[in-house]
Each structure stands twice: as structure tokens, then as C-alpha cells.
Amino acid sequence: MNMENLHLLVPAAGVLALIYAYIKAAWVKKQPVGTKEMGDIAALIQEGAMAFIRAEYKVLSGFVVVVAGLLFAANHGNGNGEEIAVAFVVGAFASGLAGFVGMKVATDANVRTTNAAKEGLAPALNVAFSGGAVMGMSVVGLALLGLGLLFAFFTNHFDIENAAGLTTALNTLTGFSMGASSIALFARVGG
């Protein structure tokens, strides 16, 4: 692979992480739920958890729009306000998607971990760790994919042959991390 395409390894690694997360999520979903009563209770818990996260994200979407507008206005004179706002929104979306997937798989894994515990500690830990791995790999995968694609775009958009252009491209990427961090913070506080 030549040096010009080396930056594509980052989003490719993100895709691999997301594929791994999908495989683990599918494996967790295939594990037995247990009794009908366990399944019914788990379904109610998942319904409540997903209703909560949808309500939380509805409020957070307004926050994302307002902050993206403020970032655009504050950086408009620098010539990269639009790009910082877009990076912020992409980061917020990636973080929100990781949280949504994590909540879905965590509520799937909880009842399956409980059922696996009937067979012993090792089977229960296997299900629990697999469920947690989905959230972790989703965060990593979406971060690498988002940052990698934005970096590829911004390095083509800004003149990175000089130090000022490279600095502008890298500063613009901070919008992604700010968006992802803000959603993660609110998700932690709200959860």
C-alpha cells in the first residue's frame, strides 16, 4: 500500500471493529433466554430502556443542533466553521449510535447472562463479556470510522502541504471529539 492511501487503514480498522461487534451481538442474541417469565420480564426491561434512550436522544438532538450552530458562528471567521459544525454532528451521531447499540445489546445480554449462570460462572461471564464487547467495539469502530473518513475529507479539503492547512484540518477534527464526548457525557449523567 502506498503512503497516499495509508490513512485509509484507520476507517478500515473501524469497519473491522464494527463487524466484530455485529458478530458478538448476533452470538449474544442466539443464547437462550430461559423461561417464558424471564423472557417476558427482559422484554419489558428492554422496552423501557429503549424508550428512555429515545426520549434522551430527542432532547440531545436539540442540544446538538444548538451547539453545532454556535460552533459554526464562533468559527465562521476562521474559514472552517461549517466543517467544525459538521464534525461535531458526526461525532455526536457516532456516539449516540454506539450508545443505542450498546443499550440494545446490554438488555439482550442481561437475561441471557442470568440464564447462563444456571450452568456456572464461566458461561455467564462469557455472555456478559460478549455483550460488553459489543459496546466497546462499537465505540472504537465508529470513532475510527468517523475520524478516519473526516480526516481523509479534511486533508483533501484543506491544503495540508503547509503547516497552517494541516493545523486547520486537525483543529477541525476536534469538533468530532467534542460531539462524541458531549453525547457520552449526557448519556452517562442521564443513565
Side-chain angles (χ1 to χ4, degrees), residues 109-166:
N110 288 343
V111 69
R112 289 163 172 85
T113 300
T114 302
N115 187 56
K118 293 177 187 176
E119 297 176 25
L121 182 61
L125 286 175
N126 192 17
V127 175
F129 283 132
S130 293
V134 173
M135 177 65 176
M137 294 307 274
S138 295
V139 168
V140 169
L142 289 167
L144 288 173
L145 184 62
L147 278 173
L149 292 175
L150 284 173
F151 182 75
F153 175 76
F154 291 147
T155 55
N156 289 327
H157 185 69
F158 298 110
D159 178 23
I160 63 163
E161 296 301 320
N162 62 56
L166 181 59

Side-chain angles (χ1 to χ4, degrees), residues 4-189:
E4 291 177 11
N5 294 327
L6 196 58
H7 67 280
L8 297 177
L9 288 177
V10 173
V15 169
L16 287 176
L18 293 173
I19 290 169
Y20 181 79
Y22 176 80
I23 291 168
K24 280 295 191 184
W27 182 84
V28 167
K29 192 78 171 163
K30 287 180 184 175
Q31 300 312 300
V33 171
T35 66
K36 180 183 180 335
E37 184 179 40
M38 288 172 67
D40 292 344
I41 292 170
L44 291 172
I45 291 169
Q46 186 172 61
E47 182 181 334
M50 298 314 287
F52 166 77
I53 206 164
R54 279 191 297 274
E56 182 180 36
Y57 285 2
K58 191 175 184 179
V59 172
L60 286 178
S61 63
F63 167 80
V64 169
V65 169
V66 169
V67 173
L70 291 171
L71 286 170
F72 173 76
N75 294 288
H76 186 64
N78 299 340
N80 65 338
E82 184 177 293
E83 292 85 355
I84 290 175
V86 167
F88 177 82
V89 171
V90 171
F93 178 78
S95 181
L97 181 59
F100 188 85
V101 168
M103 179 72 84
K104 179 89 170 102
V105 174
T107 53
D108 283 340
N110 288 343
V111 69
R112 289 163 172 85
T113 300
T114 302
N115 187 56
K118 293 177 187 176
E119 297 176 25
L121 182 61
L125 286 175
N126 192 17
V127 175
F129 283 132
S130 293
V134 173
M135 177 65 176
M137 294 307 274
S138 295
V139 168
V140 169
L142 289 167
L144 288 173
L145 184 62
L147 278 173
L149 292 175
L150 284 173
F151 182 75
F153 175 76
F154 291 147
T155 55
N156 289 327
H157 185 69
F158 298 110
D159 178 23
I160 63 163
E161 296 301 320
N162 62 56
L166 181 59
T167 301
T168 302
L170 293 176
N171 286 341
T172 304
L173 282 177
T174 60
F176 180 92
S177 45
M178 183 177 172
S181 298
S182 62
I183 298 304
L185 172 69
F186 283 115
R188 179 170 291 276
V189 171

